Amino acid sequence: MRKTIIRAGEYHDSVFLLSISKKLRALPGVNQVVAAMGTDMNKTVLEDTGLLDESGRAATSKDLILALDIAEEDVANTVLAELDFCIAGGESGGDGPKDYPSLDMANAAHPDSNLVMISVPGAFAALEAEHALELGKHCFIFSDNVELADEVALKKLGREKGLLVMGPGCGTSLIGGYALGMMSAAARGPIGIVGASGSGIHQMAMIIDRAGGGISHAIGTGGRDLSDEVGGSTMLAGLELLEQDPETKVLILVSKPPAPATMQRILERVRQCSKPVIVHFLGGDPELVRKAGALAPETLEHAARMAMALVAGETLPASPYEDYARELDPVAASLAKAGGGSLRGVFCGGTHAEEAALVLERLGLTVHSNLPLPCCASLKSPLQSEGDCIIDIGDEIFTQGKPHPVIEPSIINPRIIQEASDPQTGVILLDILCGFGAHPDPAGVVGDSISQVLREAKQRGQELAVVVSLCGVHNDPQDVEGQRRTLEEAGAVVFFNNAQAAYCAGKTILLRRGEKQ
């Protein structure tokens, strides 16, 4: 049976509610449960899943919706009891995370805290962030849809008070070992990262962690920080903090190329930095970086390995493409069983998509995409692929009224099926991201679609391969090795490295066409 409970005026942030929903779904007699604020976006998701009734439709963004699909009426009481238990502090008997009705109450209970994570509807985020800054707290603003003028004002206030403003629209940060947003809990170490690139920060931290290194702090800036209107305020502040941080020995900056005036300001500050700096502006001019005295890597993995070599005092790694050719060409050859076919990339992470497009360009492929990269040909519509194609599913045309695909990866399943149904498709390239704010089982959600499209392609004689870039570390709640096994059992070829996955997929297509590169 389905039942909806509305708690009017009871606010909890979205990350907390995602965590609570996962716990409630594990209760006996519960088929499905979603705890969410009554925003238009959340109500659209509930409508799509058949869990929204008239009472839910009438809820406002200030009301908590508890949408249940349960075996019998009494189960609802168990769910409510567990919900209240979690809100009160959970199994730790009140010592664990708590939820407070207001920032002032949270501050009164934890006066020594120095960072506030803000995940409220965008219309309210600037007000909460300003209040947090006035209380002397750094801000991590997960919320998006914040006005540009508000972002400029918040970052000006943050600079005046010596406080960081990460975001708005900041998806990942790692501060003092604590993962914020959709970040993985990578190990601690001497490498600091500042980036306007959620999946770029995530990818580099994962590679460093898996190679035995660690991160001091990874500071997300939000996507608009490197516009000339904002002027790189948070990137400059993050660079300053990491330069002063005694635990940080090497810095990495990662983003798309900043706007011209901001680029000049950032590189001038890099030139003055007393610590080694690696700058990866994806698709940018590496000579500008080198002239600023910094290192210019070719991929996210290359940046991570450069940083580890600097920390260890070892020789810097050369271009990674020779290693890719030696290690991955045999894998690509094993996937290139038939002639022809196109590559279709479907990505949750924007920077993962951009890196894949740049790797494919390096291989000589002409890539169509909805990405604003000079190397990509424009699509007539992002809803329909053309030729070799990379689609960023995080684009608002796909997410309007819906959660980001890292939080709800079922969004990409229809696109996987759409691409596979095209007889011209030879390789589907995907990325899957783990982390504390990500979906609890992304491989489980996408794995069924992968199995389905590979099975159906085989039945109609279509040679189809699925290559996946999996981003996560062993401390993630998803069990990243279990995620890998799920994807491989579904038939995918899995890499813990986005550039390698893109190279393998691209090389497979080239080999199928009889082209050597």
Side-chain angles (χ1 to χ4, degrees):
M1 65 174 292
R2 295 189 174 182
K3 184 179 180 70
T4 301
I5 298 169
I6 306 297
R7 287 185 166 184
E10 180 173 331
Y11 177 79
H12 304 279
D13 73 70
S14 57
V15 175
F16 175 76
L17 291 175
L18 281 169
S19 172
I20 292 294
S21 296
K22 178 184 176 184
K23 291 180 180 178
L24 298 180
R25 278 194 288 270
L27 293 173
V30 173
N31 302 318
Q32 180 59 285
V33 58
V34 176
M37 299 305 297
T39 62
D40 290 342
M41 181 183 80
N42 288 334
K43 287 193 283 191
T44 299
V45 173
L46 290 170
E47 190 82 71
D48 290 346
T49 55
L51 289 172
L52 191 69
D53 65 8
E54 286 304 318
S55 64
R57 292 186 186 94
T60 74
S61 60
K62 298 178 181 179
D63 301 331
L64 172 64
I65 300 175
L66 192 64
L68 308 172
D69 181 349
I70 50 181
E72 54 187 16
E73 178 74 26
D74 288 349
V75 175
N77 295 327
T78 304
V79 172
L80 284 171
E82 181 66 16
L83 174 67
D84 289 335
F85 178 67
C86 292
I87 290 172
E91 296 176 358
S92 58
D95 293 332
K98 292 183 174 65
D99 195 72
Y100 297 95
S102 73
L103 182 54
D104 284 331
M105 292 179 70
N107 185 53
H110 305 279
D112 296 331
S113 62
N114 65 357
L115 189 149
V116 173
M117 179 173 173
I118 296 168
S119 177
V120 299
F124 308 107
L127 194 62
E128 293 294 328
E130 182 181 0
H131 187 34
L133 290 169
E134 294 293 353
L135 290 171
K137 318 287 187 185
H138 301 287
C139 289
F140 176 91
I141 308 174
F142 189 76
S143 311
D144 55 12
N145 297 316
V146 175
E147 295 293 333
L148 177 61
D150 287 335
E151 177 173 352
V152 172
L154 288 169
K155 292 188 172 180
K156 179 175 183 292
L157 180 60
R159 286 197 306 275
E160 291 170 355
K161 292 182 171 294
L163 297 168
L164 271 178
V165 179
M166 295 171 273
C170 190
T172 58
S173 285
L174 186 69
I175 306 298
Y178 289 93
L180 303 178
M182 295 177 280
M183 187 66 181
S184 290
R188 296 213 67 190
I191 299 170
I193 305 174
V194 188
S197 164
S199 56
I201 291 175
H202 202 164
Q203 177 79 194
M204 290 192 295
M206 177 201 72
I207 290 171
I208 291 167
D209 177 285
R210 295 183 71 85
I215 305 299
S216 56
H217 307 282
I219 299 169
T221 68
R224 292 186 307 209
D225 188 70
L226 298 182
S227 65
D228 279 342
E229 290 84 354
V230 184
S233 177
T234 301
M235 181 165 279
L236 290 167
L239 202 161
E240 183 80 23
L241 286 172
L242 292 179
E243 184 182 24
Q244 295 172 5
D245 175 28
E247 296 182 11
T248 301
K249 306 302 180 189
V250 177
L251 285 74
I252 306 176
L253 307 185
V254 58
S255 75
K256 301 182 189 70
T262 303
M263 170 83 86
Q264 188 174 355
R265 191 176 299 123
I266 296 289
L267 292 180
E268 180 56 33
R269 182 62 186 81
V270 166
R271 186 178 289 110
Q272 298 169 4
C273 186
S274 60
K275 294 180 179 178
V277 184
I278 299 160
V279 179
H280 191 31
F281 292 149
L282 284 87
D285 182 353
E287 284 307 312
L288 291 176
V289 172
R290 295 187 185 107
K291 287 178 181 176
L295 295 168
E298 297 184 39
T299 65
L300 296 166
E301 176 206 17
H302 197 204
R305 298 202 180 283
M306 277 183 168
M308 294 195 65
L310 286 170
V311 169
E314 297 174 348
T315 303
L316 290 172
S319 168
Y321 283 92
E322 289 186 11
D323 290 340
Y324 294 167
R326 184 178 64 255
E327 298 169 7
L328 303 178
D329 282 5
V331 181
S334 71
L335 297 174
K337 298 174 183 174
S342 297
L343 185 151
R344 300 292 165 79
V346 182
F347 281 81
C348 301
T351 302
H352 286 175
E354 290 164 0
E355 180 175 66
L358 292 168
V359 170
L360 297 175
E361 181 203 28
R362 171 83 175 238
L363 288 173
L365 292 167
T366 299
V367 178
H368 295 74
S369 182
N370 61 337
L371 295 166
L373 285 177
C375 68
C376 293
S378 298
L379 289 165
K380 295 175 184 173
S381 167
L383 302 178
Q384 183 63 50
S385 294
E386 302 171 39
D388 299 316
C389 192
I390 297 288
I391 296 296
D392 175 12
I393 294 289
D395 189 298
E396 67 177 18
I397 193 172
F398 299 104
T399 60
Q400 196 164 26
K402 300 176 182 176
H404 192 278
V406 175
I407 296 172
E408 186 44 75
S410 64
I411 292 172
I412 71 173
N413 283 335
R415 191 66 183 234
I416 293 173
I417 294 169
Q418 176 185 328
E419 300 298 352
S421 66
D422 182 345
Q424 297 302 313
T425 301
V427 176
I428 295 176
L429 175 62
L430 309 171
D431 69 334
I432 299 292
L433 286 85
C434 299
F436 280 81
H439 190 278
D441 182 19
V445 171
V446 176
D448 288 345
S449 292
I450 293 174
S451 299
Q452 175 188 335
V453 300
L454 289 174
R455 182 175 61 253
E456 292 176 354
K458 185 176 181 180
Q459 289 170 351
R460 57 179 178 263
Q462 177 185 358
E463 289 291 345
L464 179 67
V466 177
V467 178
V468 176
S469 162
L470 176 59
C471 187
V473 302
H474 74 283
N475 280 333
D476 285 332
Q478 289 88 356
D479 175 16
V480 69
E481 288 299 330
Q483 294 289 298
R484 177 184 61 79
R485 288 193 296 273
T486 297
L487 292 166
E488 290 180 343
E489 288 168 4
V493 178
V494 181
F495 292 90
F496 285 109
N497 183 317
N498 190 63
Q500 288 185 2
Y503 179 96
C504 182
K507 199 60 185 286
T508 299
I509 289 297
L510 288 171
L511 291 171
R512 288 186 177 194
R513 295 173 183 167
E515 301 175 31
K516 295 182 178 178
Q517 191 70 25

